[in-house]
Amino acid sequence: MIIVQKFGGSSVANVKKIKNVARRIVSTKRKGYDVVVVVSAPGDTTDDLIELAGKISKIPSRREMDMLLSTGEQMSVALLAMAIHELGEDAVSMTGYQVGIITDDVHGSAKIEDIHSGRMLEELKKGKVVIVAGFQGKTPNHEITTLGRGGSDLTAVALASVLKAKVCEIYTDVDGVYTTDPRICKDARKLDEISYEEMMEMAALGAKVMQSRSVEVGKKYDIPILVRNSMNHTQGTLITKENKKMEKVLVSGVTINEDEAKVTLLKVPDKPGIAAKVFQKIAEKNINVDMIIQNKSTTNYNDISFTVMRSDLKRSLPVVREAANLVKARGIQVDDKIAKVSIVGVGMKSHSGVAAKMFSALAEKGINIDMISTSEIKISCVVDGRRGKDAVKVLHKKFELGKKSK
Ligand code: ADP
Ligand code: ASP
Ligand code: MG
């Protein structure tokens, strides 16, 4: 039986931690499982490499960025394989390229199209632990790609699905998935279980503990995902199918995303087809737009605001300027100090008044709401970036998510 174990960057940040991870893997192997391991780059390596590239080029080539960033994970797999050898077990490290993780050619946020399991299965049969570099793949034309930030989670879940693994274990630096980021709210509560849907929303809305697309894949192929701490043996959080127990909870979690920026096109003529033109231009550059708001004023003009990842802002602006000229907007405004704060819960489907409760909690603390978006199981508000963490604390309290209230 195969188990996939993924270790995040913080779990392999130094020699002591790499040795700790090796011990955990060997103990799983010695229980009789075939183990496939996915590892991230050590500590802050990916951020450091991005910063390094920024010192050389303002808008670096996307292809060369992938070439650079994929090296971080390559370090981890080799070191971890050596650490396992030292413990007397056989292990082999592999890059995404060597495994045959085939992706499309969207550098920086490539989508996995196919995974060759042959070589991994061969190595497992020889009794080896297979250690795969997370976050990377290759195009059919042999170009190296990366899967977007946090992409090692996706590598792990995708491997678990092709290998038909029993479980995909995600080892990180907290005990599991909490009601909110435990670094922001000291009384955040660890959840024993969370549904795929809620975890997908929480991840998409900023809960960095899991990458959103990885949970989507887990849901699609019905892979149980267990989030655990690599430094202790506590139970963790199981990401699984929605069940009756979960529906009883109105709000499961609060999230914050501080990685977005808001762009506004001012005074755009109010005519059909304008929004289509603007967002088509942006989509052509593979830039993801998140929230969109169009305010119809009493004049014949609209303001159109939207948010993009702050890391995409620099390369978005030339396209946005082009689009603004095309639709004869009066100007562009950029606000890169925003925070998007959200509440998530499957229980919202069947309850009303949740939005009002959220807005009044923010109002009581004098936190102004800039943009709002909702879906069946979430409500998001964009607020001033300087008040983001306050907003999280207020909402966590208002919806009684903390330890003491239970
Ligand atoms: P890794 O390096 O293991 O991939 P990440 O830094 O990507 O780890 O994710 C773990 C971090 O996610 C935690 O340290 C925590 O601060 C943050 N986090 C944000 N929201 C949550 C949440 N709801 N539950 C648990 N952790 C969260
Ligand atoms: N190293 C990559 C990142 O920092 C991938 C990952 O950690 O999952 O985003
Ligand atoms: Mg991560």
Side-chain angles (χ1 to χ4, degrees), residues 2-4 36 38 112-115 117 120-121 153-168 196 213-225:
I2 299 176
I3 287 191
V4 174
V36 173
V38 174
I112 297 177
E113 289 179 341
D114 191 18
I115 295 180
S117 58
M120 287 186 290
L121 292 171
D153 296 334
L154 178 60
T155 307
V157 180
L159 288 185
S161 91
V162 296
L163 295 167
K164 300 190 174 45
K166 177 176 176 257
V167 60
C168 180
Y196 290 115
R213 267 203 280 149
S214 70
V215 187
E216 203 178 321
V217 173
K219 180 183 170 195
K220 188 165 170 196
Y221 297 100
D222 212 355
I223 311 286
I225 302 172

Side-chain angles (χ1 to χ4, degrees), residues 242-313:
E242 188 178 329
N243 62 46
K244 288 266 171 329
K245 205 166 75 196
M246 296 170 181
E247 284 161 21
K248 293 211 180 77
V249 188
L250 183 63
V251 172
S252 306
V254 180
T255 63
I256 179 165
N257 183 341
E258 296 176 293
D259 297 330
E260 289 187 12
K262 183 175 130 185
V263 180
T264 305
L265 295 185
L266 297 164
K267 288 194 104 178
V268 183
D270 184 20
K271 283 192 304 205
I274 293 285
K277 273 188 196 149
V278 171
F279 293 106
Q280 199 174 338
K281 278 258 167 247
I282 295 170
E284 278 166 13
K285 292 276 173 201
N286 285 313
I287 295 167
N288 283 329
V289 170
D290 180 21
M291 283 168 119
I292 302 176
I293 285 197
Q294 176 169 310
N295 296 324
K296 176 150 176 56
S297 60
T298 44
T299 62
N300 286 330
Y301 296 100
N302 296 324
D303 285 346
I304 303 178
S305 293
F306 56 92
T307 62
V308 293
M309 290 290 290
R310 197 177 301 117
S311 56
D312 278 339
L313 186 61

Side-chain angles (χ1 to χ4, degrees), residues 6-9 39-47 50 69 72-73 134-135 148-154 211:
K6 177 254 169 180
F7 294 87
V39 213
S40 295
D44 296 328
T45 305
T46 309
D47 288 327
I50 292 171
L69 296 189
E73 270 68 14
F135 173 59
R149 296 307 304 268
S152 297
D153 296 334
L154 178 60
Q211 192 230 31

Side-chain angles (χ1 to χ4, degrees), residues 99-173:
V99 170
I101 298 180
I102 312 299
T103 72
D104 65 17
D105 61 1
V106 182
H107 286 289
S109 56
K111 291 214 162 55
I112 297 177
E113 289 179 341
D114 191 18
I115 295 180
H116 301 164
S117 58
R119 171 85 191 273
M120 287 186 290
L121 292 171
E122 248 172 57
E123 300 290 356
L124 288 175
K125 218 183 228 166
K126 290 182 203 155
K128 292 185 193 177
V129 174
V130 174
I131 306 175
V132 178
F135 173 59
Q136 55 181 261
K138 65 168 247 189
T139 69
N141 288 331
H142 315 294
E143 295 286 8
I144 290 174
T145 51
T146 63
L147 309 176
R149 296 307 304 268
S152 297
D153 296 334
L154 178 60
T155 307
V157 180
L159 288 185
S161 91
V162 296
L163 295 167
K164 300 190 174 45
K166 177 176 176 257
V167 60
C168 180
E169 297 181 338
I170 303 285
Y171 286 90
T172 183
D173 59 354

Side-chain angles (χ1 to χ4, degrees), residues 288-395:
N288 283 329
V289 170
D290 180 21
M291 283 168 119
I292 302 176
I293 285 197
Q294 176 169 310
N295 296 324
K296 176 150 176 56
S297 60
T298 44
T299 62
N300 286 330
Y301 296 100
N302 296 324
D303 285 346
I304 303 178
S305 293
F306 56 92
T307 62
V308 293
M309 290 290 290
R310 197 177 301 117
S311 56
D312 278 339
L313 186 61
K314 269 191 205 142
R315 66 186 191 100
S316 314
L317 286 179
V319 196
V320 175
R321 271 189 213 108
E322 213 181 296
N325 286 339
L326 189 75
V327 299
K328 300 195 170 52
R330 286 287 164 82
I332 301 170
Q333 234 172 29
V334 174
D335 183 354
D336 63 358
K337 291 184 183 56
I338 59 165
K340 184 173 68 174
V341 180
S342 315
I343 56 174
V344 177
V346 286
M348 275 188 224
K349 282 185 203 168
S350 49
H351 286 77
S352 57
V354 187
K357 190 169 171 181
M358 178 180 191
F359 303 154
S360 64
L362 295 174
E364 280 159 24
K365 289 282 168 191
I367 299 170
N368 196 40
I369 302 170
D370 204 6
M371 301 167 95
I372 298 170
S373 88
T374 64
S375 80
E376 222 183 6
I377 65 165
K378 71 117 202 269
I379 305 170
S380 300
C381 295
V382 169
V383 302
D384 180 344
R386 287 163 298 191
R387 303 298 310 274
K389 291 194 174 69
D390 284 346
V392 170
K393 288 180 193 155
V394 167
L395 296 171

